[in-house]
Amino acid sequence: MRSESVARSQAETLRICRPDDARGLGVQTTVGRGRGEVLHVFTGEIGPEISQHSLQVDETNHISDTEFIGYLSHACSPNCRLDMRAFELVALKDMPADELLTIDYAATEDRLFRQFACHCGAPQCRRWITGRAERPNVEGQAYLKSLA
């Protein structure tokens, strides 16, 4: 019962948003957060299918139908990380209220549902986002070549 009330109170401090016209949906915190704080404990459906809003749990399974986690935005220098064993979203740095929550997609995914161009603006931005076990696809190779 206590974990259900904790999860509910955590969920009340997050909201789905549309950060801008260039990106899809994202998640914001509605209150300030501290480094190391667990922002959300999540649940969902676990199975072998990969989808746009699923996240990899282990080598063969993904979690989907989560309340917020599938809508986290990517950043090459993220402000959060996912603990896929404890199913927790954890702050990597202090954040003010209304901050867009970001993770590095390659930190959890071997293969992405769809690779994409990154415009996060981080000094170490990879420019083209893939899963950790895949190389840029043809579109990504062309995009990266156009930047050179």
Side-chain angles (χ1 to χ4, degrees):
M1 183 70 137
R2 183 183 173 331
S3 63
E4 285 181 22
S5 65
V6 169
R8 188 171 24 261
S9 66
Q10 290 172 343
E12 291 169 359
T13 64
L14 300 178
R15 71 171 165 242
I16 303 288
C17 65
R18 181 170 293 281
D20 55 47
D21 291 336
R23 292 183 272 188
L25 296 175
V27 180
Q28 288 178 305
T29 179
T30 62
V31 297
R33 303 299 190 139
R35 181 175 188 241
E37 184 178 344
V38 174
L39 308 181
H40 186 57
V41 177
F42 55 94
T43 62
E45 297 295 320
I46 296 176
E49 291 83 28
I50 184 174
S51 68
Q52 182 174 2
H53 298 289
S54 68
L55 289 140
Q56 188 172 336
V57 174
D58 58 34
E59 288 183 20
T60 58
N61 289 300
H62 291 76
I63 188 168
S64 59
D65 295 329
T66 59
E67 187 173 3
F68 297 104
I69 301 307
Y71 297 102
L72 291 169
S73 298
H74 166 81
C76 293
S77 180
N79 57 18
C80 294
R81 69 173 177 81
L82 289 172
D83 180 333
M84 297 308 288
R85 292 187 182 185
F87 292 133
E88 294 176 340
L89 174 65
V90 181
L92 290 173
K93 51 183 91 170
D94 294 340
M95 292 178 262
D98 300 324
E99 181 88 359
L100 182 67
L101 303 180
T102 59
I103 59 170
D104 183 345
Y105 288 1
T108 61
E109 307 303 300
D110 289 337
R111 183 176 60 86
L112 292 183
F113 176 72
R114 180 179 28 231
Q115 297 181 11
F116 61 94
C118 184
H119 306 285
C120 73
Q124 69 277 21
C125 180
R126 297 189 303 276
R127 308 290 184 242
W128 187 259
I129 304 308
T130 66
R132 61 183 162 226
E134 62 183 344
R135 311 269 315 146
N137 59 19
V138 173
E139 181 185 2
Q141 292 171 25
Y143 177 75
L144 291 170
K145 187 175 181 180
S146 76
L147 298 176

